[in-house]
Amino acid sequence: MARQPEHLPPYRRIANALIEQIKSGELQPGDRIPSSTSMMKSESISTATSARVLGVLRDEGWIDTVPGSGSFVRTQAPLTQGANRIGMVRQGGSGLLEGESVEFVEARTEPASQEVADALGISANDDVVLRRRRYVDAAGVSVVSTTWVTSSLAAQLPAFTEPGRLPKMTMGYIEDRTGRRATQQRETHSVGAVPGDVASQLDAEPGERVLKVTNRYVDQDGEPTEYAVDWHAPRRSWVSESAVG
């Protein structure tokens, strides 16, 4: 069981309070964090404790420290993966973080690349339908996400090509329309060169190397339902934390 705030070490209690201020928006990206000296005075703590507070905030990705200038709330927010969004939806959420929005970019039919064809179990150059959108938060565009489905599946998904947001994301929409429930997911992380048509939406340079995350989903019969590629904005960080043992 997590310890209550009053039982936490002073450095952790102070760090948690600052993190809550960042989460709530009281401290905005670019805002200055109290210096080690000011914390020593306001919190009646030692130099070592105040240094540890700043160390926690840097280590967990909340602030950046500029030598000679001070520490500031980081302007780039952590990344959110497709798998995390799906978990939010299945728990009754929207799939969006607080303060985050999603923008429809385009939908179209195109010949499947070898990558997409292999993921969907079809032949290269077979028709597939893609839906592209981008996620935006307080720091700007965070992700440009593209999902492909086969043309036969797309025929059962009229809203897939419409500009409106899908209430339960593609996975939930497929399940509602067809009864095909995603039961397995394969997620792959790599670093890739942003394609030109994505770069303009990601506020990145064409060919710039950024985090690329692919997700392939299969249904209860082991058949592929969708394939998605997320290109993450430059200078973002992906942090995963879990219990050990």
Side-chain angles (χ1 to χ4, degrees):
M1 179 181 295
R3 290 176 291 177
Q4 295 302 309
E6 62 268 23
H7 299 306
L8 292 173
Y11 80 89
R12 186 72 252 188
R13 175 178 52 78
I14 297 168
N16 285 355
L18 288 167
I19 289 170
E20 286 305 312
Q21 290 181 53
I22 295 171
K23 287 181 176 180
S24 70
E26 184 178 344
L27 287 172
Q28 293 287 318
D31 283 354
R32 185 187 295 273
I33 292 292
S35 68
S36 178
T37 300
S38 65
M39 276 193 280
M40 288 168 57
K41 294 178 179 177
S42 63
E43 301 289 343
S44 300
I45 56 177
S46 67
T47 302
T49 299
S50 63
R52 198 167 183 187
V53 171
L54 296 176
V56 166
L57 296 176
R58 282 193 297 270
D59 180 64
E60 296 185 4
W62 295 103
I63 67 169
D64 290 312
T65 297
V66 180
S69 298
S71 296
F72 304 87
V73 178
R74 181 170 289 180
T75 56
Q76 288 79 30
L79 304 175
T80 302
Q81 304 291 359
N84 300 99
R85 297 186 190 282
I86 289 169
M88 295 177 195
V89 170
R90 283 194 163 161
Q91 292 174 25
S94 67
L96 297 175
L97 298 173
E98 184 177 352
E100 185 181 43
S101 63
V102 60
E103 301 173 351
F104 176 86
V105 176
E106 64 173 327
R108 67 171 188 265
T109 299
E110 67 177 14
S113 67
Q114 192 66 63
E115 176 184 349
V116 172
D118 289 345
L120 293 179
I122 57 178
S123 298
N125 294 317
D126 282 357
D127 280 350
V128 289
V129 180
L130 72 81
R131 177 183 175 87
R132 179 169 292 157
R133 56 268 180 223
R134 67 179 193 168
Y135 293 87
V136 181
D137 59 22
V141 179
S142 61
V143 182
V144 172
S145 182
T146 307
T147 300
W148 289 265
V149 298
T150 63
S151 58
S152 59
L153 179 56
Q156 303 176 65
L157 308 172
F160 186 73
T161 54
E162 297 297 322
R165 186 169 72 87
L166 300 178
K168 297 183 181 179
M169 303 177 64
T170 306
M171 181 201 68
Y173 183 47
I174 291 173
E175 183 176 347
D176 286 350
R177 294 287 300 184
T178 69
R180 297 177 62 184
R181 179 179 174 83
T183 59
Q184 287 188 314
Q185 173 224 5
R186 184 183 66 211
E187 182 176 270
T188 303
H189 295 237
S190 61
V191 174
V194 183
D197 62 334
V198 172
S200 61
Q201 296 294 332
L202 193 61
D203 295 338
E205 294 296 325
E208 187 170 357
R209 297 183 67 78
V210 300
L211 178 64
K212 174 186 179 183
V213 179
T214 68
N215 279 284
R216 177 181 183 267
Y217 300 97
V218 299
D219 64 16
Q220 62 268 37
D221 297 319
E223 293 296 319
T225 54
E226 60 176 294
Y227 179 62
V229 175
D230 290 351
W231 292 96
H232 290 276
R235 297 170 297 281
R236 294 274 178 152
S237 58
W238 166 241
V239 179
S240 177
E241 188 170 321
S242 60
V244 176

